[in-house]
Amino acid sequence: MTQSTETAPAAALPSPEERRRLREAKSLTQEQVAAALGVSRETVKAWESGRANPKRRKRAAYARLLAADETTPADQPTVPGGNTPVSSPSAPAQQPTVPGGDVPGRSPQGVERNHHERTNAVPERSTPEETPRRGTDPEATATAPAPAPPNAPAPAPAKDAPPTPLTPAQAFDALYAYCAQALVSQAYLLTGSRPLARESVEHAFRLAWQRWPEVATDRDPASWVRAAAYDYALSPWHRLRRRAHKRPEQPPADRDRKVLLKALLDLPPAHRRTLLLYDGLGLDLPDTAAETEASTPATANRLLNARAAIAQRLPELAAAGTPAEQSALLQERLGHLAEIGMAPPIKLSPARAVRTGSERRTRFWTRAALFFTAMIVSATGFTLVTAPTRYEPPQAPGEPVRGVPVHAGPQPLTPEDEELRSLLHSAPVTGPARLVPEGR
């Protein structure tokens, strides 16, 4: 494990229960804290449950956020989706691209809503400065606004216009930009192949566009796409394909990361997926069990077996005392491994290309289904026209009749008898002399 180069002392953090109490005392939600720190809701949830602790700059920013006063200056930014100002961390909040806080738990619909609130909000009117007194120009005097009386009530502020609803294409593009790159990193940890990781993510988004009414109304569309990408990446049918991604890729140069990737790929697919969801993304055990379609005890056994298999190759994981320390260590190591695997980053197809590709495939399979249906209907019609209209029973083969008496009388002549008969008929009077009666 590489040593950190930071020499500054780590910021002190309160206990997990105290972290949650301080957040609720400031009327902040987990989504707001995650947006301010640039992490996912699952990561904040793991911090508050004690399964993981923030590292480096995130730790310092998290400590400042919890220790900030409830009265914050007006020039500090506010958390998207809330009205309570919080102190800004030292590093700007950015969308994560690696596991350990990558596929966010927030629904992209909330991101789209915040985007529209920012883009469609009416700008506040600034207080106009006092205009200089105009001259005696009658045209300028006629066009100048009349001054408001001193006791007149202040004009009501303009209300924000209602956000314009997004079209399905715009909502899909927002979801694609929100979590596509993070899903590629996770698919790489599942497969160890960059081309297969890209193919899995694009296939999942094509499937999502085909079933967009179902995905758009889902509670967490990002989780829907993630499950589809995982299913495709771990499909056993890939071993039958003769594709370029079946060739082994260059392993990481770092020995520790190479050993971790080899140990991860040697796990069974179900154990590998469970480990990535629980330790890599920070999901709860029930959520992990629901996504892997297994019971909670079976998911716990898979997780324990996966950790034991990796601990045999990584002494640092075996030396970790509590399961929370093991989870935090695995989360950090998997994040670093994904960063190395995605360098240089994989260039994904644009969202519009994914949508058009999905529509093209749908049209192809629809036309193929119509073609085969027409062929079946034509064959059925031809059979109905040429088939006989009545039943003709087949002729039974002849059988000898038994119990009938033998035919009486002269028997048939043999070939010798027929030859003798023909000779007598040919010369009836020839032969020895004999008496012939004479007539008188």
Side-chain angles (χ1 to χ4, degrees):
M1 180 176 178
T2 56
Q3 297 290 339
S4 175
T5 57
E6 298 182 1
T7 58
L13 288 176
S15 62
E17 295 79 6
E18 186 68 15
R19 300 172 194 174
R20 181 177 180 179
R21 190 193 65 79
L22 291 175
R23 176 182 60 78
E24 293 177 350
K26 299 177 184 298
S27 299
L28 296 177
T29 62
Q30 292 180 349
E31 288 81 0
Q32 294 173 347
V33 175
L37 299 179
V39 297
S40 66
R41 183 183 63 86
E42 287 79 4
T43 304
V44 178
K45 192 174 183 180
W47 292 349
E48 294 183 354
S49 63
R51 292 192 295 105
N53 290 316
K55 304 294 182 182
R56 295 185 295 274
R57 292 185 303 175
K58 300 297 183 184
R59 183 184 184 93
Y62 188 44
R64 288 197 302 269
L65 178 62
L66 295 179
D69 296 335
E70 296 185 2
T71 56
T72 311
D75 58 347
Q76 291 185 352
T78 58
V79 177
N83 300 324
T84 306
V86 297
S87 59
S88 176
S90 59
Q94 56 185 356
Q95 183 175 350
T97 57
V98 296
D102 33 15
V103 170
R106 293 183 300 154
S107 172
Q109 296 174 354
V111 178
E112 298 166 10
R113 182 172 60 255
N114 298 334
H115 173 72
H116 291 301
E117 290 177 359
R118 292 194 301 268
T119 55
N120 299 331
V122 178
E124 299 180 359
R125 296 184 178 180
S126 58
T127 304
E129 298 179 359
E130 184 179 359
T131 56
R133 187 178 302 276
R134 299 180 181 269
T136 58
D137 187 0
E139 183 178 357
T141 306
T143 57
N151 297 329
K159 296 183 178 180
D160 294 346
T164 305
L166 289 179
T167 63
Q170 293 174 345
F172 177 84
D173 295 350
L175 177 63
Y176 187 83
Y178 182 64
C179 60
Q181 195 63 41
L183 287 177
V184 173
S185 302
Q186 301 168 35
Y188 171 75
L189 295 180
L190 289 176
T191 61
S193 173
R194 292 162 55 92
L196 183 56
R198 172 184 175 180
E199 182 181 348
S200 302
V201 174
E202 292 183 354
H203 171 80
F205 276 99
R206 284 196 297 266
L207 186 62
W209 181 243
Q210 293 176 6
R211 306 177 183 178
W212 185 246
E214 174 187 351
V215 177
T217 56
D218 191 83
R219 184 177 59 88
D220 191 356
S223 299
W224 194 100
V225 180
R226 178 179 64 203
Y230 284 13
D231 291 340
Y232 186 85
L234 298 177
S235 175
W237 295 103
H238 294 310
R239 68 186 65 177
L240 303 178
R241 301 171 57 188
R242 303 176 61 87
R243 294 291 298 273
H245 61 69
K246 295 185 66 175
R247 296 196 301 265
E249 296 187 358
Q250 186 69 21
D254 190 357
R255 179 185 175 278
D256 293 341
R257 294 186 175 93
K258 184 190 304 184
V259 171
L260 177 60
L261 180 61
K262 184 65 169 57
L264 193 64
L265 296 179
D266 289 343
L267 293 175
H271 295 191
R272 195 185 319 157
R273 183 174 183 175
T274 302
L275 183 70
L276 179 60
L277 290 174
Y278 188 84
D279 289 331
L281 304 185
L283 296 185
D284 292 339
L285 195 60
D287 295 340
T288 305
E291 186 159 337
T292 55
E293 298 181 356
S295 63
T296 304
T299 304
N301 290 333
R302 291 175 181 177
L303 182 62
L304 293 177
N305 293 334
R307 285 181 177 177
I310 295 182
Q312 293 179 357
R313 303 188 183 184
L314 294 180
E316 299 174 358
L317 184 62
T322 63
E325 295 178 357
Q326 293 181 353
S327 180
L329 179 60
L330 280 175
Q331 183 178 7
E332 181 181 1
R333 297 295 297 273
L334 290 175
H336 293 169
L337 179 60
E339 291 178 359
I340 296 299
M342 293 297 103
I346 297 178
K347 184 178 180 181
L348 293 171
S349 302
R352 182 177 180 181
V354 175
R355 285 190 285 106
T356 54
S358 176
E359 295 170 357
R360 192 183 309 112
R361 288 171 178 259
T362 303
R363 286 194 299 266
F364 170 77
W365 288 113
T366 302
R367 292 172 181 174
L370 292 177
F371 172 76
F372 284 109
T373 303
M375 292 292 295
I376 294 174
V377 171
S378 301
T380 304
F382 178 78
T383 304
L384 293 176
V385 171
T386 58
T389 58
R390 66 179 183 274
Y391 177 72
E392 297 179 356
Q395 295 291 338
E399 295 182 359
V401 180
R402 301 183 183 276
V404 179
V406 181
H407 178 68
Q411 298 298 323
L413 299 176
T414 61
E416 291 79 1
D417 296 340
E418 291 180 355
E419 184 180 359
L420 178 59
R421 185 181 63 176
S422 61
L423 180 59
L424 293 175
H425 287 174
S426 60
V429 296
T430 58
R434 57 183 177 174
L435 295 177
V436 178
E438 295 179 358
R440 293 183 179 178

